[in-house]
Amino acid sequence: MRIDILTVVPELLASPLNASILRRAQQTGHVQIVVHDIREYAVGKHRQVDDYPFGGEAGMVLKPEPIFRCIENLRGERHYDEVIYTSPDGVRYDQREANRLSLLGNIIILCGHYKGIDHRIREHLVTREISIGDYVLTGGELAAAVIADSVVRLLPGAIGDEASALTDCFQDNLLAPPVYTRPAEFNGWHVPEVLLSGNFAEIAKWQEEQALERTQRLRPDLF
Ligand code: ADE
């Protein structure tokens, strides 16, 4: 899989993309993630990427030309299955969408910034608009990192223990059951007895009950 991320603040992505699973998945060739600085596609002495909005509102809007050039350049090199735009007014992101994206070949993620991007880009080039929640971030970069992380961990072989992505929260629309590790008793606090029993049928039953109870109590909307 290849993920191209277009941004005016590439430094915001450096750390999340270069640590932990995302770093390893790139090193092992499960994914190629390329960050593009939109400013490099801007022309003129100041390489201007934003401008005042028509209509006189406050804030700045990303200009269409540099984004268009960058996307056209990429599309000249390979086919892209989706051009995603991260924005608070997009469709709410969830595990189902992460699963869907993980099955694609190449995707572009365009990060919004300031007041947003010129709407013509959304109309003519963007194929999917994604919000990671009902709150406003300074830009779409953190949302792009969230999308990349949640997608890459689903790629077969990208995380060491493949089974663990399948037991993630939300994979079956349930919250995950609690997990414990050694020591079995710490500070007078005990690990539930059943987990020490070695009876895997009982353990599976307990985990399912816990998942159901936690979902019912904390996220009844998931049912
Ligand atoms: N950009 C700013 N806020 C955002 C959000 N909630 N989701 C995606 N992109 C954003």
Side-chain angles (χ1 to χ4, degrees):
M1 179 177 214
R2 177 172 163 132
I3 305 175
D4 289 89
I5 304 180
L6 281 50
T7 169
V8 289
V9 202
E11 51 283 25
L12 266 177
L13 288 159
S15 155
L17 297 182
N18 289 305
S20 185
I21 285 172
L22 281 179
R23 180 192 177 93
R24 187 146 43 86
Q26 290 173 88
Q27 285 172 342
T28 52
H30 289 90
V31 67
Q32 191 181 359
I33 305 179
V34 186
V35 176
H36 305 268
D37 185 347
I38 292 171
R39 199 170 295 277
E40 286 177 13
Y41 295 82
V43 292
K45 202 170 108 198
H46 300 292
R47 290 191 176 268
Q48 188 183 352
V49 290
D50 58 349
D51 210 334
Y52 294 100
F54 283 122
E57 265 188 71
M60 299 294 268
V61 175
L62 289 182
K63 290 165 67 59
E65 310 95 306
I67 296 171
F68 179 83
R69 260 183 234 117
C70 185
I71 292 179
E72 283 301 285
N73 215 41
L74 288 169
R75 292 211 297 203
E77 289 168 1
R78 68 192 63 75
H79 168 78
Y80 285 91
D81 301 299
E82 292 279 17
V83 178
I84 295 164
Y85 173 57
T86 53
S87 171
D89 59 359
V91 175
R92 181 91 70 84
Y93 191 62
D94 59 14
Q95 190 65 37
R96 192 190 171 88
E97 176 71 353
N99 289 341
R100 188 185 75 83
L101 295 179
S102 76
L103 300 174
L104 302 180
N106 305 316
I107 59 175
I108 288 174
I109 306 179
L110 167 62
C111 305
H113 217 76
Y114 312 118
K115 263 234 123 25
I117 59 171
D118 187 286
H119 204 72
R120 287 166 289 186
I121 295 290
R122 297 175 70 163
E123 282 173 332
H124 298 287
L125 295 182
V126 168
T127 58
R128 195 138 189 104
E129 303 186 328
I130 292 180
S131 160
I132 61 162
D134 291 341
Y135 43 81
V136 179
L137 301 165
T138 308
E141 287 75 15
L142 298 180
V146 164
I147 294 168
D149 187 296
S150 56
V151 167
V152 169
R153 60 181 286 104
L154 294 170
L155 300 177
I159 56 179
D161 178 5
E162 276 181 55
S164 89
L166 296 176
T167 57
D168 279 348
C169 267
F170 301 117
Q171 252 342 338
D172 47 10
N173 245 359
L174 291 176
L175 301 187
V179 291
Y180 300 86
T181 187
R182 285 181 289 186
E185 192 230 306
F186 165 69
N187 213 20
W189 304 331
H190 294 268
V191 169
E193 207 51 53
V194 62
L195 295 178
L196 310 175
S197 68
N199 182 335
F200 293 106
E202 279 299 311
I203 291 173
K205 187 163 154 267
W206 180 85
Q207 287 172 328
E208 197 182 324
E209 285 165 4
Q210 289 288 318
L212 284 167
E213 188 279 322
R214 279 169 54 76
T215 310
Q216 184 82 264
R217 179 162 48 87
L218 301 169
R219 292 293 307 275
D221 57 297
L222 290 177
F223 279 114

